[in-house]
Amino acid sequence: MFYIGSDVSEKSSYIYVTDAKGKKIEGHEIPTDKDGYQQYFKKWVGKPVKVAVEAGGHSRWIHDTLKKLRISVYIVNPNKVKLIAKNKKKTDKVDATFLAKLLRIDELPERVYVAEGDSRELRDLLRSRHQLLKSSTGLKNHLRGMLRQEGIKLKAKAFDDESIFTKLQKNKSVPKHLSSIVESYGKTIAELQKQKEALNDLIATYENEDVDLLKSVPGVGEVSSKTYYAAISTIKRFKRAKQLTSYCGLVPSVFSSGERAAYGHITREGRSEVRHVAVQSAYAVLRSTNSESKPLRKWYERIAERRGGKTAVVALARKLTEIIFYVLRDRRPFDARLLQTS
């Protein structure tokens, strides 16, 4: 067996190869592009070889390129590798060597999952949708701040009504230069909204059995079901519900000392977009009045009484994610009668 570590930079990648005994076979640079990787790794096709690459901006296409060549590739979280590394000297050669050595002795951190097919496409679409929302919100907040400096206060959801921009331009209290900014921002925000709706229409076309099962869970709607599906891809990746909640960063951090263990805030590791929709789904459950959500609302109330509302919302988000694990694993829609909320 041969083990290859690849440290990827923007223009070139350093390749370090070792055999099963740890002896160096070769080490040199190749271009960081599809042709460069295809040309180099062609010679390894059909041979017993494993490749380790840190996750980053190029890792997806590197994964796809090597997979097409039927070469085993291990994408690894660079932050977790840094925790293992003791060598303060950081160069492409050192990093590639370290990856190859850890791969050989099976000491690399847990493999980073690379989504494919529908789940990958949905990740890209949802991430782009989020970016449009973020840009629109940023413009609204900036405009609100400038108007506030002129003594003009707006209601919390004033910008939800597109006519607000026309009203502001006609408002004599708005300085002329600021009126021009209002007009410009209004057009940009309207266009961002139009593009977001176009993405919504495209996202809505992604339907499958997993998405239908997810929609059966209280609080999980059109966008949140797609977000969960895109992040999870296949529930077979997770053996237990706790692994999924940990992947979403919804488990509490633990501080151990001797025989004592203290629990802190949630880790916030993993996929932030899933954590966000999990909390949104929790709030949706609390707003709901249907019987399916009633056991969850009662469970939330018990937690809130002991720990406070904010902690209880996060706990409910974690509970919903656990439910999602069992719904997908057992291929059964949510059934409140089977819910354990003790």
Side-chain angles (χ1 to χ4, degrees):
M1 180 65 73
F2 296 94
Y3 302 90
I4 302 177
S6 175
D7 186 81
V8 184
S9 297
E10 198 60 35
K11 292 183 179 180
S12 64
S13 299
Y14 191 87
I15 301 293
Y16 182 89
V17 186
T18 181
D19 63 14
K21 294 182 179 180
K23 180 182 177 181
K24 178 181 177 181
I25 302 302
E26 62 183 40
H28 55 80
E29 291 185 347
I30 64 172
T32 302
D33 54 44
K34 289 183 180 181
D35 186 60
Y37 270 76
Q38 286 173 342
Q39 290 301 319
Y40 174 75
F41 281 99
K42 273 182 181 178
K43 69 179 183 181
W44 294 103
V45 173
K47 296 180 181 178
V49 60
K50 293 182 179 180
V51 182
V53 182
E54 288 185 347
H58 296 282
S59 55
R60 179 195 282 188
W61 66 258
I62 290 175
H63 167 272
D64 292 350
T65 299
L66 297 185
K67 187 176 179 180
K68 285 180 181 178
L69 294 173
R70 297 188 178 183
I71 292 174
S72 176
V73 57
Y74 195 119
I75 306 297
V76 60
N77 186 328
N79 294 325
K80 292 186 177 181
V81 172
K82 288 176 185 176
L83 293 175
I84 300 173
K86 294 180 181 179
N87 195 334
K88 294 183 180 180
K89 183 180 179 182
K90 181 173 175 59
T91 65
D92 293 349
K93 182 177 180 179
V94 168
D95 289 352
T97 303
F98 190 63
L99 285 172
K101 288 182 177 180
L102 287 178
L103 181 62
R104 184 180 70 84
I105 62 176
D106 196 25
E107 287 295 330
L108 281 173
E110 185 179 356
R111 185 192 302 256
V112 172
Y113 180 77
V114 180
E116 299 180 85
D118 284 358
S119 58
R120 175 187 288 187
E121 292 173 10
L122 267 173
R123 284 189 185 189
D124 289 345
L125 289 167
L126 289 162
R127 191 178 294 119
S128 299
R129 177 185 182 276
H130 174 73
Q131 191 60 45
L132 290 174
L133 279 169
K134 186 177 178 181
S135 298
S136 179
T137 301
L139 289 174
K140 290 176 182 178
N141 289 339
H142 184 246
L143 184 55
R144 186 188 298 276
M146 287 192 293
L147 290 167
R148 188 186 299 116
Q149 290 182 17
E150 298 296 334
I152 302 171
K153 295 182 180 179
L154 300 176
K155 293 181 180 179
K157 296 184 179 181
F159 289 119
D160 289 353
D161 183 356
E162 292 183 7
S163 66
I164 186 64
F165 297 100
T166 302
K167 292 176 182 178
L168 286 170
Q169 289 177 68
K170 293 180 179 179
N171 189 333
K172 294 181 180 180
S173 299
V174 178
K176 186 176 180 180
H177 78 283
L178 190 49
S179 180
S180 298
I181 295 173
V182 169
E183 181 182 10
S184 176
Y185 274 29
K187 290 178 180 178
T188 303
I189 291 169
E191 181 60 28
L192 289 171
Q193 177 64 22
K194 180 181 176 182
Q195 296 304 322
K196 189 197 79 170
E197 290 172 358
L199 286 183
N200 283 345
D201 291 341
L202 190 53
I203 290 168
T205 64
Y206 285 79
E207 296 289 346
N208 56 42
E209 185 183 355
D210 279 8
V211 171
D212 290 339
L213 286 168
L214 287 164
K215 287 180 182 178
S216 73
V217 178
V220 178
E222 185 68 29
V223 173
S224 53
S225 62
K226 306 289 175 64
T227 304
Y228 270 115
Y229 170 70
I232 295 170
S233 295
T234 171
I235 200 62
K236 293 179 181 179
R237 296 169 52 202
F238 307 98
K239 294 181 179 179
R240 299 183 302 278
K242 189 175 180 180
Q243 288 181 330
L244 179 57
T245 55
S246 177
Y247 177 71
C248 299
L250 287 167
V251 295
S253 51
V254 182
F255 306 93
S256 300
S257 178
E259 297 180 356
R260 298 183 62 184
Y263 295 89
H265 297 293
I266 57 173
T267 63
R268 295 182 181 275
E269 294 181 353
R271 304 203 67 85
S272 60
E273 74 275 18
V274 189
R275 190 162 56 251
H276 178 69
V277 299
V279 172
Q280 283 188 324
S281 297
Y283 279 116
V285 167
L286 299 181
R287 292 192 300 269
S288 174
T289 57
N290 65 45
S291 58
E292 291 278 277
S293 302
K294 188 174 180 179
L296 289 166
R297 293 196 299 273
K298 286 186 172 294
W299 183 83
Y300 162 84
E301 289 167 2
R302 292 199 297 271
I303 300 295
E305 189 176 349
R306 301 197 316 266
R307 305 291 302 278
K310 289 184 178 180
T311 298
V313 166
V314 175
L316 180 55
R318 182 165 58 248
K319 171 67 74 175
L320 288 172
T321 305
E322 291 172 353
I323 291 170
I324 281 170
F325 170 82
Y326 293 111
V327 163
L328 291 177
R329 187 197 67 177
D330 299 338
R331 316 305 300 167
R332 295 178 62 183
F334 174 80
D335 187 345
R337 294 172 299 178
L338 302 176
L339 183 63
Q340 297 293 324
T341 56
S342 59

